[in-house]
Amino acid sequence: MIIGRVTGSIVSTRKCENLIGNKFMVVEPLENMGALGRLVAIDNIGAGIGETVLVALGSAARVGLEQAPVDAAIVGIVDEE
């Protein structure tokens, strides 16, 4: 899991059937997270641009999604750092 800041959103008109209706956000990991760079994460909690978020990666990101090809998911919004 990493902490990052939402910097934008992605619009995809054609996608896997299991991803229809989901929002995708661009997340920039915080410097001390050791992540390589920006990533695209599915957002089921309603994070907005500029918010600091918790992102689950890998198989943990797929929990709660039915057979969706997801590698990163926003699972929380950080109130304080």
Side-chain angles (χ1 to χ4, degrees):
M1 186 175 294
I2 64 165
I3 300 173
R5 189 164 321 281
V6 177
T7 59
S9 62
I10 299 287
V11 176
S12 174
T13 56
R14 297 182 65 179
K15 55 191 154 216
C16 174
E17 187 176 301
N18 293 343
L19 296 176
I20 294 173
N22 290 294
K23 184 169 78 168
F24 299 96
M25 304 302 279
V26 177
V27 178
E28 181 81 36
L30 298 184
E31 284 185 30
N32 56 350
M33 288 291 109
L36 297 175
R38 287 181 282 183
L39 52 97
V40 176
I42 196 165
D43 176 26
N44 287 326
I45 63 168
I49 295 173
E51 290 192 289
T52 302
V53 294
L54 296 171
V55 180
L57 301 172
S59 61
R62 288 186 286 279
V63 174
L65 300 172
E66 297 177 18
Q67 302 290 325
V70 173
D71 193 46
I74 296 173
V75 296
I77 297 173
V78 176
D79 294 325
E80 292 183 37
E81 291 181 43

